[in-house]
Amino acid sequence: MTGKGRMADGMKLKSFMGLVFVSALVATNLMAAQPLTLEEATQKALSANPRLQASRLTALAAKERVKEAVSRHFGEVDLVGSYNNYESERLVRPISIDLFKDPKLGFYQLPWDRNQTHYGITYEIPLLAAGGLHEGRLIAKLSYNANESLALYTETEIRYNVRAAYRNALTLGHALTSVSSYEEALAKDVSDAELRVKTGAWALVDASKVRFAYESAKSQREAVAAQLASAEALLAALMGEEPPEGGYDLADVPIEPASPAEDFLQSTTSALSGRYDLKAAKDSLAIAERKKKLALEAFSPQLMLAGNYLTNNAPSLADRMGTQEFGIYLKIPLFKGMQRVFEVQAANKELLAAKQQEYGKELEVRAQVQDAIGRLKAARAQLDAGKAQKALGAEVARVEHLKLSQGTGKMEDYLAARAQELQGETGYWQGLYALQSAVDYYDFVCARGGQHE
């Protein structure tokens, strides 16, 4: 291949690599420019929300405690050891008849020593533990069920909250766009008004009215921008991250959701049977019942199998001496300073409190169902009003601007029309997102599963 051919191939390769680099850069920018969608925000929250993660970890810890409670049935085995230094010589091992059966040993030839070591294995196996094993296992299981239900409830709550926060940010974003456009239009009107005052077509007071409306729009824009920053900070916190510099680019959700049925009895039945927080309250009540039973069973006897195998050694001994022990121990409680009586009384009060909490949660669920139905009705009416307000505001603003340009309109009517146009545009989006959030809230309260867009 000639030098010119190699040079041409090199130029082609460089051009190709440059094209690849530019394409990759463009693709990266396009990906970075993609707005955050509602579903992406929801998934971020479900995977990174700190409160949800803590709730899930608490449930996992409760699951491990169930295993720990079950393992208590198998007893304990320990390695033990000790070194003793006494003021005078003592028997290295407990005295027994075997020591006297050895003809080489007399009483004074028994294993005596001031310095002794003892080591070996001990074991304890509970046979009857006054309800501690059985009730403890059941309490641990119920605690796991309660914590798992709370984790699932937290998941549904976070799902609703992040979607509501997303829509709130969208509403404020549209409000900011509308008020910014309103401000820009008024800025142009200010320039026109000043020109008309100079030419004598307008009185100074009319120009001052336009200037006041313009300054009010600037103030309103700053207020809406601050509200939007706060809403985005809340959205970021729910997703478990810091808000990006410059805020989020959020994708609109223009779909008008279908409203669910508003049958109170059916909705209440669904909520009472499916709400995880109510299930957790019922499990807490069952735990309190078991704790009371456990406190009563503390008056029952306890039975334990225990023993040990020890090696006993001392400097004066030529060989180590082994000993072993096996026994069944019965313990019948008689008096413990009224402690058990007070434990029963405390457990009874805790049971009464758990019953009140479970009943209070049921009443709360019923009230939330009624609230959810009311929100649906109000949101539908708000959206209908927003649609009418948007159409009316745009038309009135167009007519009043035309009348003012022709010299037949009044400044007050024109400014009021522009404000009405702003309210109409904002009102439509508020109504739409309010209905979407109302449907989500109904799904959340009535335990109907996933939320709708």
Side-chain angles (χ1 to χ4, degrees), residues 44 47 88 143 146 181 203 220 247-248 264 288 313 334 382 391 393 403 409:
K44 278 188 174 185
S47 61
S88 59
S143 178
S181 300
Q220 189 176 0
Y248 287 105
F264 177 76
N313 195 16
L334 296 178
Q382 183 181 355
K403 289 167 64 177

Side-chain angles (χ1 to χ4, degrees), residues 51-66 139-155 276-277 279-281 283-284 287:
R51 187 163 70 92
L52 178 55
Q53 296 306 310
S55 181
R56 288 170 175 169
L57 290 172
T58 300
L60 291 176
K63 186 176 183 180
E64 295 301 320
R65 283 194 290 270
V66 175
I139 289 172
K141 177 63 176 175
L142 288 168
S143 178
Y144 165 64
N145 292 340
N147 281 283
E148 187 178 34
S149 294
L150 286 177
L152 292 171
Y153 173 74
T154 303
E155 179 178 326
Y276 290 114
D277 54 337
K279 291 180 180 179
D283 286 331
S284 296
I287 290 173

Side-chain angles (χ1 to χ4, degrees), residues 378-446:
R380 276 199 297 269
Q382 183 181 355
L383 178 57
D384 292 340
K387 290 177 180 178
Q389 188 180 22
K390 180 180 180 181
L392 177 62
E395 179 61 20
V396 171
R398 185 189 68 82
V399 172
E400 290 299 330
H401 183 268
L402 181 61
K403 289 167 64 177
L404 189 66
S405 300
Q406 295 173 350
T408 59
K410 295 181 179 180
M411 178 56 63
E412 291 82 357
D413 294 338
Y414 168 69
L415 294 176
R418 296 305 297 267
Q420 187 176 357
E421 181 182 24
L422 169 64
Q423 294 171 0
E425 182 67 24
T426 303
Y428 166 73
W429 290 106
Q430 286 178 339
L432 176 62
Y433 292 136
L435 179 58
Q436 292 179 3
S437 292
V439 173
D440 268 6
Y441 182 70
Y442 180 84
D443 288 343
F444 164 60
V445 166
C446 299

